[in-house]
Coordinates of all heavy atoms in Angstrom, one line a residue:
M1 N 0.8 -1.2 0.0 CA 0.0 0.0 0.0 C 0.9 1.2 0.0 O 1.9 1.3 0.7 CB -0.9 0.0 1.2 CG -1.9 -1.1 1.2 SD -3.2 -1.0 2.5 CE -2.3 -0.5 3.9
G2 N 0.5 2.3 -0.7 CA 1.3 3.5 -0.8 C 0.9 4.5 0.2 O 0.2 4.2 1.2
E3 N 1.4 5.7 0.0 CA 1.2 6.8 1.0 C -0.3 7.1 1.0 O -0.9 7.5 2.0 CB 2.0 8.0 0.6 CG 3.5 7.8 0.9 CD 4.3 9.0 0.5 OE1 3.7 10.1 0.5 OE2 5.5 8.9 0.3
H4 N -0.9 7.1 -0.2 CA -2.3 7.5 -0.3 C -3.2 6.3 -0.6 O -2.9 5.5 -1.5 CB -2.5 8.5 -1.4 CG -4.0 8.9 -1.6 ND1 -4.7 9.6 -0.7 CD2 -4.8 8.6 -2.7 CE1 -6.0 9.7 -1.2 NE2 -6.0 9.1 -2.4
L5 N -4.2 6.1 0.2 CA -5.0 4.9 0.1 C -6.2 5.3 -0.8 O -7.1 6.1 -0.3 CB -5.5 4.4 1.4 CG -6.4 3.2 1.4 CD1 -5.6 2.0 0.9 CD2 -6.9 2.9 2.8
D6 N -6.3 4.9 -2.0 CA -7.5 5.2 -2.8 C -8.5 4.0 -2.7 O -8.2 3.0 -2.1 CB -7.1 5.5 -4.3 CG -6.5 4.3 -5.0 OD1 -6.7 3.1 -4.6 OD2 -5.8 4.5 -6.0
C7 N -9.6 4.2 -3.3 CA -10.7 3.2 -3.1 C -10.4 1.8 -3.6 O -10.7 0.8 -3.0 CB -12.0 3.7 -3.8 SG -12.6 5.2 -3.0
S8 N -9.6 1.8 -4.8 CA -9.3 0.4 -5.3 C -8.3 -0.3 -4.3 O -8.4 -1.5 -4.1 CB -8.7 0.5 -6.7 OG -7.5 1.3 -6.7
N9 N -7.3 0.5 -3.8 CA -6.4 -0.1 -2.8 C -7.2 -0.6 -1.5 O -6.9 -1.6 -1.0 CB -5.3 0.9 -2.4 CG -4.3 1.0 -3.4 OD1 -4.1 0.2 -4.3 ND2 -3.6 2.2 -3.4
F10 N -8.2 0.2 -1.1 CA -9.0 -0.1 0.0 C -9.6 -1.5 -0.2 O -9.5 -2.4 0.6 CB -10.0 1.0 0.3 CG -10.9 0.6 1.5 CD1 -10.5 0.9 2.8 CD2 -12.1 0.0 1.3 CE1 -11.3 0.6 3.8 CE2 -12.9 -0.4 2.4 CZ -12.5 -0.1 3.7
M11 N -10.3 -1.6 -1.4 CA -11.0 -2.8 -1.6 C -10.1 -4.0 -1.8 O -10.4 -5.2 -1.4 CB -11.9 -2.7 -2.9 CG -13.0 -1.6 -2.7 SD -13.9 -1.7 -1.2 CE -14.5 -3.3 -1.2
D12 N -8.9 -3.8 -2.3 CA -7.9 -4.9 -2.4 C -7.5 -5.4 -1.0 O -7.0 -6.6 -0.9 CB -6.6 -4.4 -3.1 CG -6.9 -4.2 -4.6 OD1 -7.9 -4.7 -5.1 OD2 -6.0 -3.5 -5.3
H13 N -7.6 -4.6 0.0 CA -7.0 -5.0 1.3 C -8.1 -5.0 2.5 O -7.7 -5.2 3.6 CB -5.9 -4.1 1.7 CG -4.7 -4.1 0.7 ND1 -3.8 -5.2 0.7 CD2 -4.4 -3.3 -0.3 CE1 -3.0 -5.0 -0.3 NE2 -3.3 -3.9 -0.9
V14 N -9.3 -4.9 2.1 CA -10.4 -4.7 3.2 C -10.4 -5.9 4.1 O -10.6 -5.8 5.3 CB -11.7 -4.4 2.6 CG1 -12.3 -5.5 1.8 CG2 -12.7 -3.9 3.7
F15 N -10.3 -7.1 3.5 CA -10.4 -8.3 4.4 C -9.1 -8.5 5.3 O -9.2 -9.0 6.4 CB -10.7 -9.6 3.6 CG -12.1 -9.7 3.2 CD1 -12.5 -9.4 1.9 CD2 -13.1 -10.0 4.1 CE1 -13.8 -9.4 1.5 CE2 -14.4 -10.0 3.8 CZ -14.8 -9.7 2.5
E16 N -8.0 -8.0 4.8 CA -6.8 -8.0 5.7 C -7.0 -7.1 6.8 O -6.6 -7.4 8.0 CB -5.6 -7.5 4.9 CG -5.1 -8.5 3.8 CD -4.1 -7.9 2.9 OE1 -3.2 -7.2 3.4 OE2 -4.2 -8.1 1.6
F17 N -7.7 -6.0 6.6 CA -8.0 -5.0 7.7 C -9.0 -5.7 8.6 O -8.8 -5.6 9.9 CB -8.6 -3.7 7.1 CG -9.0 -2.7 8.1 CD1 -8.0 -2.1 8.9 CD2 -10.3 -2.3 8.2 CE1 -8.4 -1.1 9.8 CE2 -10.7 -1.4 9.1 CZ -9.7 -0.8 9.9
L18 N -10.0 -6.3 8.1 CA -11.0 -6.9 8.9 C -10.5 -8.1 9.8 O -10.9 -8.3 10.9 CB -12.2 -7.5 8.1 CG -13.2 -6.4 7.6 CD1 -14.0 -7.0 6.5 CD2 -14.0 -5.9 8.7
D19 N -9.5 -8.8 9.2 CA -8.9 -9.9 9.9 C -7.7 -9.5 10.8 O -7.1 -10.4 11.4 CB -8.4 -10.9 8.9 CG -9.5 -11.6 8.1 OD1 -10.7 -11.6 8.6 OD2 -9.3 -12.1 7.0
G20 N -7.4 -8.2 10.9 CA -6.4 -7.7 11.8 C -5.0 -8.1 11.3 O -4.1 -8.3 12.1
E21 N -4.8 -8.2 10.0 CA -3.5 -8.6 9.4 C -2.6 -7.5 9.0 O -1.6 -7.7 8.4 CB -3.8 -9.5 8.2 CG -4.5 -10.8 8.6 CD -4.9 -11.7 7.4 OE1 -4.8 -11.2 6.3 OE2 -5.4 -12.8 7.7
L22 N -3.1 -6.2 9.3 CA -2.3 -5.1 8.9 C -1.5 -4.5 10.1 O -2.0 -4.6 11.2 CB -3.2 -4.0 8.3 CG -4.0 -4.4 7.0 CD1 -4.8 -3.3 6.5 CD2 -3.0 -4.9 5.9
D23 N -0.4 -3.8 9.8 CA 0.3 -3.2 10.9 C -0.4 -1.9 11.4 O -1.4 -1.5 10.7 CB 1.7 -2.9 10.6 CG 1.9 -1.9 9.4 OD1 1.1 -1.0 9.3 OD2 2.9 -2.1 8.7
E24 N 0.0 -1.3 12.4 CA -0.7 -0.2 13.0 C -0.8 1.0 12.1 O -1.9 1.6 12.0 CB 0.1 0.3 14.3 CG -0.6 1.3 15.1 CD 0.1 1.7 16.3 OE1 0.9 0.9 16.8 OE2 -0.1 2.8 16.8
S25 N 0.2 1.3 11.3 CA 0.1 2.5 10.4 C -0.8 2.2 9.3 O -1.6 3.1 8.8 CB 1.5 2.8 9.8 OG 2.0 1.8 9.0
Q26 N -0.9 1.0 8.8 CA -1.9 0.6 7.7 C -3.3 0.7 8.3 O -4.2 1.1 7.6 CB -1.6 -0.8 7.2 CG -0.3 -0.9 6.4 CD 0.1 -2.3 6.1 OE1 0.0 -3.2 6.9 NE2 0.6 -2.5 4.8
C27 N -3.5 0.2 9.5 CA -4.8 0.3 10.1 C -5.2 1.8 10.3 O -6.4 2.1 10.0 CB -4.8 -0.4 11.5 SG -4.8 -2.1 11.4
E28 N -4.3 2.7 10.7 CA -4.6 4.1 10.8 C -5.0 4.6 9.4 O -6.0 5.4 9.3 CB -3.5 4.8 11.4 CG -3.2 4.6 12.8 CD -1.9 5.1 13.3 OE1 -1.3 5.9 12.6 OE2 -1.6 4.8 14.5
E29 N -4.3 4.2 8.4 CA -4.6 4.7 7.0 C -6.0 4.2 6.6 O -6.8 5.0 6.0 CB -3.5 4.1 6.1 CG -3.6 4.6 4.7 CD -2.4 4.0 3.8 OE1 -1.6 3.2 4.3 OE2 -2.4 4.4 2.6
F30 N -6.4 3.0 6.9 CA -7.7 2.5 6.6 C -8.7 3.2 7.4 O -9.8 3.6 6.8 CB -7.8 1.0 7.0 CG -7.6 0.1 5.8 CD1 -6.4 -0.1 5.2 CD2 -8.7 -0.6 5.2 CE1 -6.2 -0.9 4.1 CE2 -8.5 -1.4 4.1 CZ -7.3 -1.6 3.6
A31 N -8.5 3.5 8.6 CA -9.5 4.2 9.4 C -9.7 5.6 8.9 O -10.9 6.1 8.8 CB -9.1 4.2 10.9
R32 N -8.6 6.2 8.5 CA -8.7 7.6 7.9 C -9.6 7.5 6.6 O -10.4 8.4 6.4 CB -7.3 8.2 7.7 CG -7.3 9.6 7.1 CD -6.0 10.2 7.0 NE -5.0 9.3 6.4 CZ -4.0 8.8 7.1 NH1 -3.8 8.9 8.4 NH2 -3.1 8.0 6.5
H33 N -9.3 6.6 5.8 CA -10.0 6.4 4.5 C -11.5 6.2 4.8 O -12.4 6.8 4.2 CB -9.4 5.3 3.7 CG -10.1 5.2 2.3 ND1 -9.7 6.0 1.3 CD2 -11.1 4.5 1.9 CE1 -10.5 5.8 0.2 NE2 -11.3 4.8 0.6
L34 N -11.8 5.4 5.8 CA -13.2 5.1 6.1 C -13.9 6.4 6.6 O -15.1 6.6 6.2 CB -13.3 4.0 7.2 CG -13.0 2.6 6.8 CD1 -13.0 1.7 8.0 CD2 -14.0 2.1 5.7
R35 N -13.2 7.2 7.3 CA -13.8 8.5 7.8 C -14.1 9.4 6.6 O -15.1 10.2 6.7 CB -12.9 9.2 8.8 CG -12.9 8.5 10.2 CD -12.2 9.4 11.2 NE -10.8 9.7 10.9 CZ -9.8 8.9 11.2 NH1 -10.0 7.8 11.8 NH2 -8.6 9.3 10.8
E36 N -13.3 9.3 5.6 CA -13.4 10.3 4.5 C -14.1 9.8 3.3 O -14.4 10.6 2.4 CB -11.9 10.7 4.1 CG -11.1 11.4 5.1 CD -9.7 11.5 4.8 OE1 -9.2 11.1 3.7 OE2 -9.0 12.1 5.6
C37 N -14.5 8.5 3.3 CA -15.1 7.9 2.0 C -16.4 7.1 2.4 O -16.3 5.9 2.7 CB -14.1 7.1 1.3 SG -14.6 6.4 -0.2
P38 N -17.5 7.7 2.4 CA -18.8 7.0 2.7 C -19.0 5.7 1.8 O -19.4 4.7 2.4 CB -19.9 8.0 2.5 CG -19.2 9.3 2.7 CD -17.8 9.2 2.1
P39 N -18.7 5.7 0.5 CA -18.9 4.5 -0.2 C -18.1 3.3 0.3 O -18.5 2.2 0.4 CB -18.6 4.8 -1.7 CG -18.8 6.3 -1.8 CD -18.4 6.8 -0.4
C40 N -16.8 3.6 0.6 CA -16.0 2.5 1.2 C -16.4 2.1 2.6 O -16.3 0.9 2.9 CB -14.5 3.0 1.2 SG -13.7 2.9 -0.5
L41 N -16.9 3.1 3.3 CA -17.4 2.7 4.7 C -18.6 1.8 4.5 O -18.7 0.8 5.2 CB -17.9 4.0 5.4 CG -18.5 3.8 6.8 CD1 -17.6 3.0 7.7 CD2 -18.9 5.1 7.4
D42 N -19.5 2.1 3.5 CA -20.6 1.2 3.3 C -20.1 -0.2 2.9 O -20.7 -1.2 3.4 CB -21.5 1.7 2.2 CG -22.3 2.9 2.6 OD1 -22.4 3.2 3.8 OD2 -22.8 3.6 1.6
E43 N -19.2 -0.3 2.0 CA -18.6 -1.6 1.6 C -18.0 -2.3 2.8 O -18.2 -3.5 3.0 CB -17.6 -1.4 0.5 CG -17.1 -2.7 0.0 CD -18.1 -3.6 -0.7 OE1 -19.0 -3.0 -1.3 OE2 -18.0 -4.8 -0.7
Y44 N -17.2 -1.6 3.6 CA -16.6 -2.2 4.8 C -17.6 -2.7 5.7 O -17.5 -3.9 6.2 CB -15.8 -1.1 5.5 CG -15.3 -1.5 6.9 CD1 -14.3 -2.4 7.1 CD2 -16.0 -1.0 8.0 CE1 -13.9 -2.7 8.4 CE2 -15.6 -1.4 9.3 CZ -14.6 -2.2 9.5 OH -14.2 -2.6 10.7
Q45 N -18.7 -2.0 6.0 CA -19.8 -2.5 6.9 C -20.5 -3.7 6.3 O -20.8 -4.6 7.1 CB -20.8 -1.3 7.1 CG -20.2 -0.2 8.0 CD -21.0 1.0 8.1 OE1 -21.9 1.3 7.2 NE2 -20.9 1.7 9.2
R46 N -20.7 -3.8 5.0 CA -21.2 -5.0 4.4 C -20.3 -6.2 4.6 O -20.7 -7.3 5.0 CB -21.5 -4.8 2.9 CG -22.8 -4.1 2.6 CD -23.2 -4.1 1.1 NE -22.2 -3.4 0.3 CZ -22.3 -2.1 0.0 NH1 -23.2 -1.4 0.5 NH2 -21.3 -1.6 -0.7
D47 N -19.0 -6.0 4.3 CA -18.1 -7.1 4.5 C -17.9 -7.5 6.0 O -17.8 -8.7 6.3 CB -16.7 -6.7 3.9 CG -16.7 -6.5 2.4 OD1 -17.6 -7.0 1.8 OD2 -15.8 -5.9 1.9
Q48 N -18.0 -6.5 6.9 CA -17.9 -6.8 8.3 C -19.2 -7.6 8.7 O -19.0 -8.6 9.5 CB -17.9 -5.5 9.1 CG -17.6 -5.7 10.5 CD -17.5 -4.3 11.2 OE1 -18.2 -3.4 10.9 NE2 -16.6 -4.2 12.1
A49 N -20.3 -7.3 8.2 CA -21.6 -8.0 8.5 C -21.5 -9.4 8.0 O -22.0 -10.4 8.6 CB -22.8 -7.2 8.0
L50 N -21.0 -9.5 6.8 CA -20.9 -10.9 6.1 C -20.0 -11.8 7.0 O -20.3 -12.9 7.2 CB -20.3 -10.7 4.7 CG -20.1 -12.1 4.0 CD1 -21.3 -12.9 3.8 CD2 -19.4 -11.8 2.6
K51 N -18.8 -11.3 7.4 CA -17.9 -12.1 8.2 C -18.6 -12.5 9.5 O -18.5 -13.6 10.0 CB -16.6 -11.3 8.5 CG -15.6 -11.3 7.4 CD -14.3 -10.7 7.8 CE -13.6 -11.4 8.9 NZ -13.0 -12.6 8.6
A52 N -19.3 -11.6 10.1 CA -20.0 -11.9 11.4 C -21.1 -12.9 11.2 O -21.3 -13.8 12.0 CB -20.7 -10.6 12.0
L53 N -21.8 -12.8 10.1 CA -22.9 -13.8 9.7 C -22.2 -15.2 9.5 O -22.7 -16.2 10.1 CB -23.6 -13.4 8.5 CG -24.7 -14.4 8.0 CD1 -25.8 -14.6 9.0 CD2 -25.2 -13.9 6.6
V54 N -21.1 -15.3 8.8 CA -20.5 -16.6 8.6 C -20.0 -17.1 9.9 O -20.1 -18.3 10.2 CB -19.3 -16.4 7.6 CG1 -18.5 -17.7 7.5 CG2 -19.9 -16.1 6.2
R55 N -19.4 -16.3 10.7 CA -18.9 -16.7 12.0 C -20.0 -17.3 12.9 O -19.9 -18.3 13.6 CB -18.2 -15.5 12.7 CG -17.4 -15.9 14.0 CD -16.7 -14.8 14.6 NE -15.9 -14.0 13.7 CZ -16.2 -12.7 13.4 NH1 -17.2 -12.1 13.9 NH2 -15.4 -12.0 12.5
R56 N -21.2 -16.6 12.9 CA -22.3 -17.1 13.7 C -22.9 -18.3 13.1 O -23.4 -19.2 13.8 CB -23.4 -16.0 13.8 CG -23.1 -14.9 14.7 CD -24.4 -14.0 15.0 NE -25.1 -13.6 13.8 CZ -24.8 -12.5 13.1 NH1 -23.9 -11.7 13.5 NH2 -25.5 -12.2 12.0
S57 N -22.9 -18.4 11.8 CA -23.6 -19.6 11.2 C -22.7 -20.8 11.2 O -23.3 -21.9 11.1 CB -23.9 -19.2 9.7 OG -24.7 -18.1 9.6
C58 N -21.4 -20.7 11.3 CA -20.6 -21.9 11.3 C -19.6 -21.9 12.4 O -18.4 -22.0 12.2 CB -19.8 -21.9 10.0 SG -20.8 -21.7 8.5
P59 N -20.0 -21.7 13.7 CA -19.1 -21.6 14.8 C -18.3 -22.9 15.1 O -17.1 -22.8 15.5 CB -20.0 -21.3 16.0 CG -21.3 -21.9 15.6 CD -21.4 -21.7 14.1
C60 N -18.8 -24.0 14.8 CA -18.1 -25.2 15.1 C -17.6 -26.0 13.8 O -17.1 -27.1 14.0 CB -19.0 -26.2 15.9 SG -19.5 -25.5 17.5
E61 N -17.8 -25.4 12.7 CA -17.4 -26.1 11.5 C -15.9 -26.0 11.3 O -15.3 -24.9 11.6 CB -18.1 -25.4 10.2 CG -19.6 -25.6 10.2 CD -20.1 -27.0 10.1 OE1 -19.4 -27.8 9.4 OE2 -21.0 -27.4 10.8
Q62 N -15.3 -27.0 10.8 CA -13.9 -27.1 10.5 C -13.7 -27.5 9.1 O -14.5 -28.3 8.6 CB -13.2 -28.1 11.4 CG -12.1 -27.5 12.2 CD -11.3 -28.6 13.0 OE1 -11.4 -29.7 12.6 NE2 -10.6 -28.1 14.0
A63 N -12.7 -26.9 8.4 CA -12.5 -27.3 7.0 C -12.1 -28.7 7.0 O -11.4 -29.2 7.9 CB -11.4 -26.4 6.5
P64 N -12.4 -29.5 6.0 CA -12.0 -30.9 5.8 C -10.5 -30.9 5.8 O -9.8 -30.0 5.4 CB -12.6 -31.3 4.5 CG -13.7 -30.3 4.2 CD -13.3 -29.0 4.9
T65 N -10.0 -32.0 6.3 CA -8.5 -32.2 6.4 C -7.8 -32.1 5.1 O -6.8 -31.4 5.0 CB -8.2 -33.6 7.0 OG1 -8.9 -33.8 8.3 CG2 -6.8 -33.9 7.1
Q66 N -8.4 -32.6 4.0 CA -7.8 -32.5 2.7 C -7.7 -31.0 2.3 O -6.7 -30.6 1.7 CB -8.6 -33.3 1.7 CG -8.0 -33.2 0.3 CD -8.8 -34.0 -0.8 OE1 -9.8 -34.6 -0.4 NE2 -8.3 -34.0 -2.0
L67 N -8.7 -30.2 2.5 CA -8.7 -28.8 2.2 C -7.6 -28.1 3.0 O -6.8 -27.3 2.4 CB -10.0 -28.2 2.4 CG -10.1 -26.7 2.2 CD1 -9.7 -26.3 0.7 CD2 -11.5 -26.1 2.5
R68 N -7.6 -28.3 4.3 CA -6.5 -27.7 5.1 C -5.1 -28.1 4.6 O -4.2 -27.3 4.5 CB -6.7 -28.1 6.6 CG -7.9 -27.3 7.2 CD -8.1 -27.6 8.6 NE -8.6 -28.9 8.8 CZ -8.4 -29.8 9.8 NH1 -7.6 -29.4 10.7 NH2 -9.0 -30.9 9.8
T69 N -4.9 -29.3 4.2 CA -3.6 -29.8 3.7 C -3.3 -29.1 2.5 O -2.1 -28.7 2.3 CB -3.7 -31.3 3.5 OG1 -4.0 -32.0 4.8 CG2 -2.3 -31.8 3.0
Q70 N -4.3 -28.9 1.6 CA -4.0 -28.2 0.3 C -3.7 -26.8 0.5 O -2.8 -26.2 -0.1 CB -5.2 -28.3 -0.6 CG -5.5 -29.7 -1.2 CD -6.8 -29.8 -2.0 OE1 -7.7 -29.0 -1.7 NE2 -6.8 -30.7 -2.9
I71 N -4.3 -26.2 1.4 CA -4.0 -24.7 1.7 C -2.6 -24.6 2.3 O -1.9 -23.7 1.9 CB -5.1 -24.2 2.7 CG1 -6.5 -24.1 2.0 CG2 -4.7 -22.8 3.3 CD1 -7.6 -23.7 2.9
I72 N -2.3 -25.4 3.3 CA -0.9 -25.4 3.8 C 0.1 -25.6 2.8 O 1.1 -25.0 2.7 CB -0.8 -26.4 5.0 CG1 -1.7 -25.9 6.2 CG2 0.6 -26.5 5.5 CD1 -1.9 -26.8 7.3
A73 N -0.2 -26.6 1.9 CA 0.8 -26.9 0.8 C 0.9 -25.7 -0.1 O 2.1 -25.4 -0.6 CB 0.3 -28.1 0.0
S74 N -0.1 -25.0 -0.4 CA 0.0 -23.8 -1.3 C 0.8 -22.7 -0.6 O 1.5 -22.0 -1.2 CB -1.4 -23.3 -1.7 OG -2.1 -22.7 -0.6
F75 N 0.7 -22.6 0.7 CA 1.5 -21.6 1.5 C 2.9 -21.9 1.3 O 3.8 -21.1 1.1 CB 1.1 -21.5 2.9 CG -0.2 -20.9 3.2 CD1 -0.9 -21.2 4.4 CD2 -0.8 -20.0 2.3 CE1 -2.2 -20.7 4.6 CE2 -2.1 -19.4 2.6 CZ -2.7 -19.8 3.8
T76 N 3.2 -23.2 1.5 CA 4.6 -23.7 1.4 C 5.1 -23.4 0.0 O 6.3 -22.9 -0.2 CB 4.7 -25.2 1.8 OG1 4.2 -25.4 3.1 CG2 6.1 -25.6 1.7
S77 N 4.3 -23.7 -1.0 CA 4.7 -23.5 -2.4 C 5.0 -22.0 -2.7 O 6.0 -21.6 -3.3 CB 3.7 -24.0 -3.3 OG 3.9 -23.7 -4.6
I78 N 4.1 -21.2 -2.2 CA 4.3 -19.7 -2.4 C 5.5 -19.2 -1.7 O 6.3 -18.5 -2.2 CB 3.0 -19.0 -1.9 CG1 1.8 -19.3 -2.8 CG2 3.3 -17.5 -1.8 CD1 0.5 -18.8 -2.3
T79 N 5.7 -19.7 -0.4 CA 6.9 -19.3 0.3 C 8.2 -19.7 -0.4 O 9.1 -18.9 -0.5 CB 6.9 -19.9 1.7 OG1 5.7 -19.5 2.4 CG2 8.1 -19.5 2.6
L80 N 8.2 -20.9 -0.9 CA 9.4 -21.4 -1.6 C 9.6 -20.6 -2.9 O 10.8 -20.3 -3.2 CB 9.3 -22.9 -1.9 CG 9.4 -23.8 -0.6 CD1 9.1 -25.2 -1.1 CD2 10.7 -23.7 0.1
E81 N 8.5 -20.3 -3.6 CA 8.7 -19.6 -4.9 C 9.2 -18.2 -4.6 O 10.0 -17.7 -5.4 CB 7.3 -19.6 -5.5 CG 7.3 -18.9 -6.9 CD 5.9 -19.0 -7.6 OE1 5.3 -20.0 -7.4 OE2 5.6 -17.9 -8.2
Y82 N 8.6 -17.5 -3.7 CA 9.0 -16.1 -3.4 C 10.3 -16.0 -2.6 O 11.0 -15.0 -2.6 CB 7.9 -15.3 -2.8 CG 6.8 -15.1 -3.7 CD1 5.5 -15.6 -3.5 CD2 7.0 -14.2 -4.8 CE1 4.5 -15.4 -4.4 CE2 5.9 -14.0 -5.7 CZ 4.7 -14.6 -5.5 OH 3.7 -14.3 -6.3
G83 N 10.7 -17.1 -1.9 CA 11.8 -17.1 -1.1 C 13.1 -17.4 -1.8 O 14.2 -17.4 -1.2
R84 N 13.1 -17.6 -3.1 CA 14.3 -18.0 -3.9 C 15.2 -16.9 -3.9 O 15.1 -15.8 -3.9 CB 13.9 -18.3 -5.3 CG 13.1 -19.6 -5.4 CD 12.8 -19.9 -6.8 NE 11.8 -20.9 -6.9 CZ 11.3 -21.3 -8.0 NH1 11.7 -20.9 -9.1 NH2 10.3 -22.2 -7.9

């Protein structure tokens, strides 16, 4: 993310923000953008509500073992590819 967060950058990273995966300065940048951009605030609130609905609807569900294994393998592959 650059110095200025535009709407397309916001939408590219909204779930990282929702999941708490951004550092403090990036979170501040997101919060500032939300205060200044009502359309992005609306989108953020929809995504936030969707995550809450999924969390409430599937509190005890776990991904199948095969899916979790595939996801972990893809992380390893990505790490190896970019770590060269």
Side-chain angles (χ1 to χ4, degrees):
M1 292 189 322
E3 290 181 22
H4 175 70
L5 181 67
D6 64 23
C7 295
S8 63
N9 284 338
F10 179 86
M11 297 315 302
D12 288 345
H13 300 281
V14 69
F15 283 104
E16 293 170 41
F17 179 66
L18 283 166
D19 292 339
E21 297 174 352
L22 301 178
D23 65 33
E24 187 176 337
S25 67
Q26 291 171 319
C27 286
E28 290 171 9
E29 189 177 0
F30 261 74
R32 182 174 46 252
H33 186 83
L34 287 173
R35 287 190 302 273
E36 297 171 358
C37 185
C40 284
L41 177 60
D42 289 343
E43 184 66 31
Y44 167 77
Q45 289 172 334
R46 278 191 296 272
D47 291 342
Q48 187 178 41
L50 176 62
K51 280 187 63 74
L53 176 63
V54 170
R55 191 177 311 115
R56 281 193 313 270
S57 298
C58 309
C60 298
E61 296 295 322
Q62 233 184 24
T65 303
Q66 181 179 359
L67 176 60
R68 287 184 284 148
T69 302
Q70 288 173 335
I71 291 170
I72 292 169
S74 71
F75 290 155
T76 303
S77 173
I78 290 169
T79 302
L80 292 175
E81 183 177 320
Y82 288 112
R84 290 183 198 178

